[in-house]
Amino acid sequence: MKTFLAAILFVGAAVLLLGVNIFFFKKPFPNGEISTNPEMQKRGIKCAKQEELEMLSARQKGKPKHCSGEYTDACQSCALYELEK
């Protein structure tokens, strides 16, 4: 029982200490959404949905975005390889 109470106190203290800025100073919660986070946009990080939409639009225009230049055996199995032939 002592171990259980010690664990509860430890977890409670950890949550309180990790949330000091949010609970007491009313700072906004950090934005973890890839598509709206300005720091991730500066670094060029995109979400998978956005990358897929870009690739699909490039494929529909007949200009594969990621496949260009000389092809290896691995590139020839790619669906975009067929569009460039």
Side-chain angles (χ1 to χ4, degrees):
M1 188 64 173
K2 289 180 182 179
T3 306
F4 181 71
L5 289 175
I8 294 294
L9 286 173
F10 180 75
V11 170
V15 168
L16 186 66
L17 290 173
L18 289 172
V20 165
N21 281 335
I22 296 168
F23 297 140
F24 299 114
F25 299 118
K26 302 296 182 200
K27 290 186 179 180
F29 194 76
N31 185 3
E33 186 67 34
I34 295 172
S35 61
T36 59
N37 188 319
E39 191 62 36
M40 289 189 185
Q41 289 174 354
K42 270 197 289 187
R43 295 176 186 204
I45 299 172
K46 299 177 183 175
C47 67
K49 183 178 180 180
Q50 185 179 1
E51 284 183 348
E52 190 170 332
L53 288 173
E54 287 176 1
M55 195 176 343
L56 285 173
S57 68
R59 188 182 329 170
Q60 289 172 351
K61 292 177 185 175
K63 301 177 195 172
K65 182 178 179 182
H66 300 294
C67 295
S68 61
E70 296 183 21
Y71 296 103
T72 63
D73 292 337
C75 287
Q76 291 178 1
S77 65
C78 176
L80 295 176
Y81 174 75
E82 296 295 325
L83 292 173
E84 282 196 357
K85 283 190 352 181

Coordinates of all heavy atoms in Angstrom, one line a residue:
M1 N 0.8 -1.2 0.0 CA 0.0 0.0 0.0 C 0.9 1.3 0.0 O 0.5 2.2 -0.7 CB -0.9 0.0 1.2 CG -1.9 1.0 1.2 SD -3.1 0.8 -0.1 CE -4.3 2.0 0.2
K2 N 2.0 1.2 0.7 CA 2.9 2.4 0.8 C 3.5 2.6 -0.6 O 3.6 3.8 -1.0 CB 4.0 2.1 1.8 CG 3.6 2.2 3.2 CD 4.8 1.9 4.1 CE 4.4 1.9 5.5 NZ 5.5 1.6 6.4
T3 N 3.8 1.6 -1.3 CA 4.3 1.7 -2.7 C 3.3 2.3 -3.6 O 3.7 3.2 -4.4 CB 4.8 0.3 -3.2 OG1 5.6 -0.3 -2.3 CG2 5.5 0.4 -4.6
F4 N 2.1 1.9 -3.5 CA 1.0 2.5 -4.4 C 0.8 4.0 -4.1 O 0.7 4.8 -5.0 CB -0.3 1.7 -4.1 CG -1.4 2.2 -4.9 CD1 -1.5 1.9 -6.3 CD2 -2.5 2.9 -4.4 CE1 -2.5 2.4 -7.1 CE2 -3.5 3.4 -5.1 CZ -3.5 3.1 -6.5
L5 N 0.8 4.4 -2.8 CA 0.7 5.8 -2.5 C 1.9 6.6 -3.0 O 1.7 7.7 -3.5 CB 0.4 6.0 -1.0 CG -0.9 5.5 -0.5 CD1 -0.9 5.6 1.1 CD2 -2.0 6.3 -1.1
A6 N 3.0 6.0 -2.8 CA 4.2 6.7 -3.3 C 4.2 6.9 -4.8 O 4.6 8.0 -5.3 CB 5.5 5.9 -2.9
A7 N 3.7 5.9 -5.5 CA 3.6 6.0 -7.0 C 2.6 7.0 -7.4 O 2.8 7.8 -8.3 CB 3.2 4.6 -7.6
I8 N 1.5 7.1 -6.7 CA 0.4 8.1 -7.0 C 1.0 9.5 -6.7 O 0.8 10.4 -7.5 CB -0.8 7.8 -6.1 CG1 -1.5 6.5 -6.5 CG2 -1.8 9.0 -6.2 CD1 -2.1 6.5 -7.9
L9 N 1.7 9.7 -5.6 CA 2.3 11.0 -5.3 C 3.3 11.4 -6.4 O 3.4 12.5 -6.8 CB 2.9 11.0 -3.9 CG 1.9 11.0 -2.8 CD1 2.6 10.9 -1.4 CD2 1.1 12.4 -2.8
F10 N 4.1 10.4 -6.8 CA 5.2 10.7 -7.8 C 4.5 11.1 -9.1 O 5.0 12.1 -9.7 CB 6.1 9.5 -7.9 CG 7.1 9.6 -8.9 CD1 8.3 10.4 -8.6 CD2 7.0 9.1 -10.2 CE1 9.3 10.6 -9.6 CE2 8.0 9.3 -11.1 CZ 9.2 10.0 -10.8
V11 N 3.5 10.4 -9.6 CA 2.9 10.7 -10.8 C 2.2 12.0 -10.7 O 2.2 12.8 -11.7 CB 1.9 9.6 -11.2 CG1 1.0 10.0 -12.4 CG2 2.7 8.3 -11.6
G12 N 1.5 12.3 -9.6 CA 0.8 13.6 -9.4 C 1.8 14.7 -9.5 O 1.6 15.8 -10.1
A13 N 3.0 14.6 -8.8 CA 4.0 15.6 -8.8 C 4.6 15.8 -10.2 O 4.8 17.0 -10.6 CB 5.1 15.3 -7.8
A14 N 4.8 14.8 -11.0 CA 5.3 14.9 -12.3 C 4.3 15.6 -13.2 O 4.7 16.5 -14.0 CB 5.6 13.5 -12.9
V15 N 3.0 15.3 -13.1 CA 2.0 16.0 -13.9 C 2.0 17.5 -13.6 O 1.9 18.3 -14.4 CB 0.6 15.3 -13.8 CG1 -0.5 16.2 -14.4 CG2 0.6 13.9 -14.4
L16 N 2.0 17.8 -12.3 CA 2.0 19.2 -11.8 C 3.2 19.9 -12.3 O 3.1 21.0 -12.8 CB 1.9 19.2 -10.3 CG 1.7 20.6 -9.7 CD1 0.3 21.2 -10.1 CD2 1.8 20.5 -8.2
L17 N 4.4 19.3 -12.2 CA 5.6 20.0 -12.6 C 5.7 20.2 -14.1 O 6.2 21.2 -14.6 CB 6.8 19.3 -12.1 CG 7.0 19.4 -10.6 CD1 8.2 18.5 -10.2 CD2 7.3 20.8 -10.2
L18 N 5.2 19.2 -14.9 CA 5.2 19.3 -16.3 C 4.2 20.3 -16.9 O 4.4 20.8 -17.9 CB 5.0 17.9 -17.0 CG 6.1 16.9 -16.8 CD1 5.7 15.5 -17.3 CD2 7.3 17.4 -17.6
G19 N 3.2 20.6 -16.1 CA 2.1 21.5 -16.6 C 2.2 22.8 -15.9 O 1.2 23.6 -16.0
V20 N 3.3 23.2 -15.3 CA 3.4 24.5 -14.6 C 3.0 25.7 -15.5 O 2.2 26.5 -15.2 CB 4.8 24.7 -13.9 CG1 5.0 26.1 -13.5 CG2 4.9 23.8 -12.7
N21 N 3.6 25.7 -16.7 CA 3.4 26.8 -17.6 C 1.9 26.9 -18.1 O 1.4 27.9 -18.2 CB 4.3 26.7 -18.8 CG 5.7 27.2 -18.6 OD1 5.9 28.0 -17.7 ND2 6.6 26.7 -19.3
I22 N 1.3 25.7 -18.3 CA 0.0 25.7 -18.7 C -1.0 26.0 -17.6 O -2.0 26.7 -17.8 CB -0.3 24.3 -19.4 CG1 0.6 24.1 -20.6 CG2 -1.8 24.2 -19.8 CD1 0.6 22.7 -21.2
F23 N -0.8 25.4 -16.4 CA -1.8 25.5 -15.3 C -1.7 26.9 -14.7 O -2.7 27.5 -14.4 CB -1.5 24.5 -14.3 CG -1.7 23.1 -14.7 CD1 -0.9 22.1 -14.3 CD2 -2.8 22.8 -15.6 CE1 -1.1 20.8 -14.7 CE2 -3.0 21.5 -16.0 CZ -2.1 20.5 -15.6
F24 N -0.5 27.4 -14.5 CA -0.3 28.7 -13.7 C -0.1 29.9 -14.5 O -0.5 31.0 -14.1 CB 0.8 28.5 -12.6 CG 0.5 27.4 -11.7 CD1 1.3 26.2 -11.7 CD2 -0.6 27.4 -10.8 CE1 1.0 25.2 -10.8 CE2 -0.8 26.4 -9.9 CZ 0.0 25.3 -9.9
F25 N 0.6 29.8 -15.6 CA 1.0 31.0 -16.4 C 0.1 31.2 -17.6 O 0.3 32.1 -18.4 CB 2.4 31.0 -16.8 CG 3.4 31.0 -15.6 CD1 4.2 29.9 -15.4 CD2 3.4 32.0 -14.7 CE1 5.0 29.9 -14.3 CE2 4.2 32.0 -13.6 CZ 5.0 30.9 -13.4
K26 N -0.8 30.3 -17.8 CA -1.8 30.3 -18.9 C -1.2 30.5 -20.3 O -1.7 31.1 -21.2 CB -2.8 31.4 -18.7 CG -3.6 31.4 -17.4 CD -4.5 30.1 -17.4 CE -5.3 30.1 -16.1 NZ -5.7 28.9 -15.7
K27 N 0.0 29.9 -20.4 CA 0.7 29.9 -21.8 C -0.1 28.8 -22.6 O -0.6 27.8 -22.1 CB 2.1 29.5 -21.6 CG 3.0 30.6 -21.0 CD 4.4 30.2 -21.1 CE 5.3 31.3 -20.4 NZ 6.7 31.0 -20.5
P28 N -0.2 29.1 -23.9 CA -0.9 28.1 -24.8 C -0.2 26.8 -24.8 O 1.1 26.7 -24.7 CB -0.9 28.8 -26.1 CG 0.2 29.7 -26.1 CD 0.4 30.2 -24.7
F29 N -1.0 25.7 -25.0 CA -0.4 24.4 -25.2 C 0.4 24.4 -26.5 O 0.0 24.9 -27.5 CB -1.5 23.4 -25.2 CG -1.0 22.0 -25.0 CD1 -0.7 21.5 -23.7 CD2 -0.9 21.1 -26.1 CE1 -0.2 20.2 -23.6 CE2 -0.5 19.8 -25.9 CZ -0.1 19.4 -24.6
P30 N 1.6 23.7 -26.5 CA 2.4 23.7 -27.7 C 1.6 23.1 -28.9 O 0.9 22.1 -28.7 CB 3.5 22.8 -27.4 CG 3.6 22.8 -25.9 CD 2.2 23.0 -25.4
N31 N 1.7 23.7 -30.1 CA 1.0 23.2 -31.3 C 1.8 22.1 -31.9 O 2.9 22.2 -32.3 CB 0.9 24.4 -32.3 CG 0.1 24.0 -33.5 OD1 -0.4 22.9 -33.6 ND2 0.1 24.9 -34.4
G32 N 1.2 20.9 -31.9 CA 1.8 19.7 -32.4 C 1.3 19.3 -33.8 O 1.7 18.3 -34.4
E33 N 0.4 20.1 -34.3 CA -0.2 19.8 -35.6 C 0.8 20.2 -36.7 O 1.2 21.3 -36.8 CB -1.5 20.6 -35.8 CG -2.3 20.3 -37.1 CD -2.8 18.8 -37.0 OE1 -3.2 18.3 -36.0 OE2 -2.9 18.3 -38.1
I34 N 1.2 19.2 -37.5 CA 2.3 19.5 -38.5 C 1.9 20.5 -39.5 O 2.7 21.4 -39.9 CB 2.6 18.1 -39.2 CG1 3.2 17.2 -38.2 CG2 3.6 18.4 -40.3 CD1 3.4 15.8 -38.7
S35 N 0.6 20.5 -40.0 CA 0.2 21.4 -41.0 C 0.1 22.9 -40.6 O 0.2 23.8 -41.4 CB -1.1 20.9 -41.6 OG -2.1 20.9 -40.7
T36 N 0.0 23.1 -39.3 CA -0.2 24.5 -38.8 C 0.9 25.0 -37.9 O 0.9 26.2 -37.5 CB -1.5 24.6 -38.0 OG1 -1.5 23.7 -36.9 CG2 -2.7 24.3 -38.9
N37 N 1.9 24.2 -37.7 CA 3.0 24.6 -36.8 C 4.0 25.4 -37.6 O 4.6 24.8 -38.6 CB 3.7 23.4 -36.2 CG 4.7 23.7 -35.2 OD1 5.5 24.6 -35.3 ND2 4.7 22.9 -34.1
P38 N 4.3 26.7 -37.3 CA 5.2 27.5 -38.1 C 6.6 27.0 -38.1 O 7.3 27.1 -39.1 CB 5.1 28.9 -37.5 CG 4.3 28.8 -36.3 CD 3.6 27.4 -36.2
E39 N 7.1 26.4 -37.0 CA 8.4 25.9 -36.9 C 8.6 24.7 -37.8 O 9.7 24.6 -38.5 CB 8.8 25.6 -35.5 CG 10.2 25.3 -35.2 CD 11.1 26.5 -35.5 OE1 10.7 27.6 -35.2 OE2 12.3 26.3 -36.0
M40 N 7.7 23.9 -37.9 CA 7.8 22.7 -38.8 C 7.7 23.2 -40.3 O 8.4 22.6 -41.1 CB 6.7 21.7 -38.5 CG 6.9 21.0 -37.2 SD 5.8 19.6 -37.0 CE 6.2 19.0 -35.4
Q41 N 6.9 24.2 -40.6 CA 6.8 24.7 -41.9 C 8.1 25.4 -42.3 O 8.5 25.2 -43.5 CB 5.7 25.7 -42.0 CG 4.3 25.1 -41.9 CD 3.2 26.1 -41.9 OE1 3.4 27.3 -41.8 NE2 2.0 25.7 -41.9
K42 N 8.8 26.1 -41.4 CA 10.1 26.7 -41.7 C 11.1 25.6 -42.1 O 12.0 25.8 -42.9 CB 10.6 27.4 -40.5 CG 10.2 28.9 -40.5 CD 11.1 29.7 -39.5 CE 10.8 29.3 -38.1 NZ 11.5 30.2 -37.1
R43 N 11.0 24.4 -41.4 CA 12.0 23.4 -41.7 C 11.6 22.5 -42.9 O 12.3 21.6 -43.2 CB 12.1 22.5 -40.4 CG 12.7 23.3 -39.3 CD 12.8 22.4 -38.1 NE 13.2 23.3 -36.9 CZ 13.8 22.8 -35.9 NH1 14.0 21.5 -35.7 NH2 14.2 23.6 -34.9
G44 N 10.5 22.8 -43.5 CA 10.0 22.0 -44.7 C 9.4 20.7 -44.3 O 9.3 19.8 -45.2
I45 N 9.0 20.5 -43.1 CA 8.3 19.2 -42.7 C 6.9 19.3 -43.1 O 6.2 20.2 -42.7 CB 8.5 19.0 -41.2 CG1 10.0 18.9 -40.9 CG2 7.8 17.7 -40.8 CD1 10.3 18.8 -39.4
K46 N 6.4 18.3 -43.8 CA 5.0 18.3 -44.2 C 4.3 17.0 -43.7 O 5.0 16.0 -43.4 CB 4.9 18.3 -45.7 CG 5.5 19.5 -46.4 CD 5.4 19.4 -47.9 CE 6.1 20.6 -48.5 NZ 6.2 20.5 -49.9
C47 N 3.0 17.0 -43.5 CA 2.3 15.8 -43.0 C 2.1 14.9 -44.2 O 2.2 15.3 -45.4 CB 1.0 16.2 -42.4 SG -0.2 16.9 -43.5
A48 N 1.9 13.7 -44.0 CA 1.8 12.6 -45.0 C 0.7 12.9 -45.9 O 0.8 12.7 -47.2 CB 1.6 11.3 -44.4
K49 N -0.4 13.5 -45.4 CA -1.6 13.8 -46.3 C -1.2 14.9 -47.3 O -1.6 14.7 -48.5 CB -2.8 14.2 -45.4 CG -4.0 14.5 -46.2 CD -5.1 14.9 -45.2 CE -6.4 15.2 -46.0 NZ -7.5 15.6 -45.0
Q50 N -0.5 15.9 -46.9 CA -0.1 17.0 -47.8 C 0.9 16.5 -48.8 O 0.7 16.8 -50.0 CB 0.5 18.1 -47.0 CG 0.8 19.3 -47.8 CD 1.5 20.4 -46.9 OE1 1.6 20.2 -45.7 NE2 1.8 21.5 -47.5
E51 N 1.8 15.6 -48.4 CA 2.8 15.1 -49.4 C 2.1 14.2 -50.4 O 2.4 14.3 -51.6 CB 3.8 14.3 -48.7 CG 4.9 15.1 -48.0 CD 6.0 14.3 -47.3 OE1 5.8 13.1 -47.2 OE2 7.0 14.9 -46.9
E52 N 1.1 13.4 -50.0 CA 0.4 12.5 -50.9 C -0.5 13.4 -51.9 O -0.5 13.0 -53.1 CB -0.5 11.6 -50.1 CG -1.1 10.5 -51.0 CD -1.8 9.4 -50.2 OE1 -1.4 9.2 -49.0 OE2 -2.7 8.8 -50.7
L53 N -1.1 14.4 -51.4 CA -1.9 15.3 -52.3 C -1.0 15.9 -53.3 O -1.3 16.0 -54.5 CB -2.6 16.3 -51.5 CG -3.8 15.8 -50.7 CD1 -4.4 17.0 -49.8 CD2 -4.9 15.3 -51.6
E54 N 0.2 16.4 -53.0 CA 1.2 17.0 -53.9 C 1.6 15.9 -54.9 O 1.7 16.3 -56.1 CB 2.4 17.5 -53.2 CG 2.1 18.8 -52.4 CD 3.3 19.3 -51.6 OE1 4.4 18.6 -51.7 OE2 3.2 20.3 -50.9
M55 N 1.9 14.7 -54.5 CA 2.3 13.7 -55.4 C 1.2 13.3 -56.4 O 1.4 13.1 -57.6 CB 2.8 12.4 -54.7 CG 3.6 11.5 -55.6 SD 4.3 10.0 -54.9 CE 4.4 10.2 -53.2
L56 N -0.1 13.2 -55.9 CA -1.2 12.9 -56.8 C -1.4 14.0 -57.8 O -1.7 13.7 -59.0 CB -2.4 12.7 -55.9 CG -2.5 11.3 -55.2 CD1 -3.7 11.3 -54.3 CD2 -2.5 10.2 -56.2
S57 N -1.3 15.3 -57.4 CA -1.5 16.4 -58.3 C -0.4 16.4 -59.4 O -0.7 16.6 -60.5 CB -1.6 17.7 -57.6 OG -0.4 18.1 -57.1
A58 N 0.8 16.1 -59.0 CA 1.9 16.0 -59.9 C 1.7 14.9 -60.9 O 2.0 15.0 -62.1 CB 3.2 15.9 -59.2
R59 N 1.2 13.7 -60.4 CA 1.0 12.6 -61.3 C -0.1 12.9 -62.3 O -0.1 12.5 -63.4 CB 0.6 11.4 -60.4 CG 0.5 10.1 -61.3 CD 0.1 8.9 -60.6 NE 0.5 8.8 -59.2 CZ 0.0 7.8 -58.4 NH1 -0.8 6.9 -58.8 NH2 0.4 7.8 -57.1
Q60 N -1.2 13.6 -61.9 CA -2.3 13.9 -62.8 C -1.8 14.9 -63.8 O -2.4 14.9 -64.9 CB -3.5 14.5 -62.0 CG -4.2 13.5 -61.1 CD -5.2 14.1 -60.2 OE1 -5.3 15.3 -60.1 NE2 -6.0 13.2 -59.6
K61 N -0.9 15.7 -63.5 CA -0.3 16.7 -64.5 C 0.7 16.0 -65.4 O 1.2 16.6 -66.4 CB 0.3 17.9 -63.8 CG -0.7 18.7 -63.1 CD 0.0 19.9 -62.4 CE -1.0 20.7 -61.6 NZ -0.3 21.7 -60.8
G62 N 1.0 14.8 -65.1 CA 2.0 14.1 -65.9 C 3.5 14.4 -65.6 O 4.4 14.1 -66.3
K63 N 3.7 15.1 -64.5 CA 5.0 15.4 -64.0 C 5.3 14.8 -62.7 O 5.1 15.4 -61.7 CB 5.2 16.9 -63.9 CG 4.9 17.7 -65.2 CD 5.0 19.2 -64.9 CE 4.4 20.0 -66.0 NZ 4.3 21.4 -65.6
P64 N 5.8 13.6 -62.7 CA 6.2 13.0 -61.4 C 7.2 13.8 -60.6 O 8.2 14.2 -61.2 CB 6.7 11.6 -61.7 CG 6.1 11.3 -63.1 CD 6.0 12.7 -63.8
K65 N 6.9 14.1 -59.4 CA 7.8 15.0 -58.6 C 9.1 14.3 -58.1 O 10.1 14.9 -58.1 CB 7.0 15.5 -57.4 CG 7.7 16.5 -56.5 CD 6.9 17.0 -55.4 CE 7.6 17.9 -54.5 NZ 6.9 18.4 -53.4
H66 N 9.0 13.1 -57.7 CA 10.1 12.5 -57.0 C 11.0 11.6 -57.9 O 12.0 11.2 -57.6 CB 9.6 11.7 -55.8 CG 8.9 12.5 -54.8 ND1 9.6 13.5 -54.1 CD2 7.7 12.5 -54.4 CE1 8.7 14.0 -53.3 NE2 7.6 13.5 -53.4
C67 N 10.5 11.3 -59.1 CA 11.2 10.4 -60.0 C 11.7 11.2 -61.2 O 10.9 11.6 -62.0 CB 10.3 9.3 -60.5 SG 9.8 8.1 -59.2
S68 N 13.0 11.4 -61.3 CA 13.6 12.1 -62.4 C 15.0 11.7 -62.6 O 15.6 11.3 -61.6 CB 13.5 13.6 -62.3 OG 14.2 14.1 -61.2
G69 N 15.5 11.8 -63.8 CA 16.9 11.4 -64.0 C 17.1 9.9 -64.4 O 16.2 9.4 -65.0
E70 N 18.2 9.3 -64.0 CA 18.4 8.0 -64.4 C 17.7 7.0 -63.4 O 17.6 7.3 -62.2 CB 19.9 7.7 -64.4 CG 20.7 8.5 -65.4 CD 22.1 8.2 -65.5 OE1 22.5 7.1 -65.0 OE2 22.9 9.0 -66.0
Y71 N 17.3 5.9 -63.9 CA 16.5 5.0 -63.1 C 17.3 3.8 -62.7 O 18.1 3.2 -63.5 CB 15.3 4.5 -63.9 CG 14.3 5.7 -64.2 CD1 14.3 6.2 -65.4 CD2 13.6 6.2 -63.2 CE1 13.5 7.3 -65.7 CE2 12.7 7.2 -63.4 CZ 12.7 7.8 -64.7 OH 11.8 8.8 -65.0
T72 N 17.2 3.3 -61.5 CA 17.8 2.1 -61.0 C 16.7 1.0 -61.1 O 15.5 1.3 -61.4 CB 18.2 2.2 -59.6 OG1 17.1 2.5 -58.7 CG2 19.2 3.4 -59.4
D73 N 17.0 -0.2 -60.7 CA 16.0 -1.3 -60.7 C 14.9 -1.0 -59.7 O 13.8 -1.3 -60.0 CB 16.7 -2.6 -60.3 CG 17.7 -3.1 -61.4 OD1 17.5 -2.6 -62.6 OD2 18.6 -3.8 -61.1
A74 N 15.2 -0.3 -58.6 CA 14.2 0.0 -57.6 C 13.2 1.0 -58.2 O 12.0 0.9 -57.9 CB 14.8 0.5 -56.4
C75 N 13.7 2.0 -58.9 CA 12.8 3.0 -59.5 C 11.9 2.4 -60.6 O 10.8 2.9 -60.7 CB 13.6 4.1 -60.1 SG 14.4 5.2 -58.9
Q76 N 12.3 1.4 -61.2 CA 11.4 0.9 -62.3 C 10.2 0.2 -61.7 O 9.2 0.0 -62.5 CB 12.2 -0.1 -63.2 CG 13.3 0.7 -64.0 CD 14.1 -0.3 -64.8 OE1 13.9 -1.5 -64.8 NE2 15.1 0.3 -65.5
S77 N 10.2 -0.2 -60.5 CA 9.0 -0.8 -59.9 C 8.0 0.3 -59.3 O 6.9 -0.1 -59.0 CB 9.4 -1.8 -58.8 OG 10.0 -1.0 -57.7
C78 N 8.4 1.5 -59.4 CA 7.6 2.6 -58.9 C 6.5 2.9 -59.9 O 6.6 2.8 -61.1 CB 8.5 3.9 -58.7 SG 7.5 5.3 -58.1
A79 N 5.3 3.3 -59.4 CA 4.2 3.6 -60.2 C 4.4 4.8 -61.0 O 3.9 5.0 -62.2 CB 2.9 3.7 -59.4
L80 N 5.2 5.8 -60.5 CA 5.5 7.0 -61.3 C 6.4 6.7 -62.5 O 6.4 7.5 -63.4 CB 6.1 8.0 -60.4 CG 5.2 8.5 -59.2 CD1 6.0 9.4 -58.3 CD2 4.0 9.2 -59.8
Y81 N 7.2 5.6 -62.5 CA 8.1 5.3 -63.6 C 7.3 5.1 -64.8 O 7.6 5.5 -65.9 CB 8.9 4.1 -63.2 CG 9.7 3.6 -64.3 CD1 10.9 4.2 -64.7 CD2 9.4 2.4 -65.0 CE1 11.7 3.8 -65.8 CE2 10.1 1.9 -66.1 CZ 11.3 2.6 -66.5 OH 12.0 2.1 -67.5
E82 N 6.1 4.4 -64.7 CA 5.3 4.1 -65.8 C 4.7 5.4 -66.5 O 4.5 5.4 -67.7 CB 4.1 3.2 -65.4 CG 4.5 1.9 -64.9 CD 5.2 1.0 -66.0 OE1 4.8 1.1 -67.1 OE2 6.1 0.3 -65.6
L83 N 4.5 6.4 -65.7 CA 4.0 7.7 -66.3 C 5.0 8.4 -67.1 O 4.6 9.2 -68.0 CB 3.5 8.6 -65.1 CG 2.3 8.1 -64.4 CD1 2.0 9.0 -63.2 CD2 1.1 8.1 -65.3
E84 N 6.3 8.3 -66.8 CA 7.3 9.0 -67.5 C 7.7 8.3 -68.8 O 8.4 8.9 -69.7 CB 8.5 9.2 -66.6 CG 8.4 10.3 -65.7 CD 9.7 10.8 -65.1 OE1 10.7 10.2 -65.4 OE2 9.7 11.7 -64.3
K85 N 7.4 7.0 -69.0 CA 7.8 6.3 -70.2 C 7.1 6.8 -71.4 O 6.1 7.3 -71.5 CB 7.6 4.8 -70.0 CG 8.6 4.1 -69.1 CD 8.6 2.6 -69.0 CE 7.5 1.9 -69.7 NZ 7.5 0.5 -69.6

